[in-house]
Amino acid sequence: GIHATMCWETFQSKLDAPQMVEFFKFIDVDPDDAKGLFKLLDLDGSGGLTAEEFLNGAIRLRGNAKSLDVALLIQEVKKIEKHLV
């Protein structure tokens, strides 16, 4: 498998690349939501995306942008729950 990770700075620097533009179109997410998307795709909270996290996230989020909003909300609720317990 591919074990390289991509940090936020690298992800951000690639946002204008044709492949990334197509990726955002494919998952129907506004590039302005890139930071939230990155955090959401970073399943292990490491601050970096593995190829597996990136691809699984793309498949999971394909649909309308509201899917991203719901997924971000779920993530935030889980964080809040951890602090309350």
Side-chain angles (χ1 to χ4, degrees):
I2 301 171
H3 297 289
T5 60
M6 180 175 14
C7 65
W8 162 246
E9 290 77 16
T10 302
F11 186 85
Q12 187 179 32
S13 74
K14 306 287 184 195
L15 289 175
D16 292 329
Q19 299 91 336
M20 287 294 271
V21 172
E22 285 301 313
F23 169 71
F24 277 89
K25 284 182 188 172
F26 176 75
I27 62 170
D28 196 22
V29 171
D30 190 311
D32 290 340
D33 294 327
K35 182 71 171 181
L37 176 66
F38 183 89
K39 287 180 177 180
L40 187 66
L41 296 179
D42 181 17
L43 296 176
D44 62 3
S46 67
L49 291 182
T50 64
E52 185 176 350
E53 285 174 323
F54 187 81
L55 293 171
N56 287 340
I59 292 166
R60 198 173 69 240
L61 291 173
R62 188 167 185 250
N64 58 38
K66 290 183 181 177
S67 299
L68 175 61
D69 295 333
V70 171
L72 284 168
L73 181 60
I74 290 169
Q75 186 180 52
E76 288 302 313
V77 168
K78 286 180 181 177
K79 286 181 188 175
I80 292 168
E81 284 178 335
K82 286 180 184 176
H83 292 311
L84 295 176
V85 175

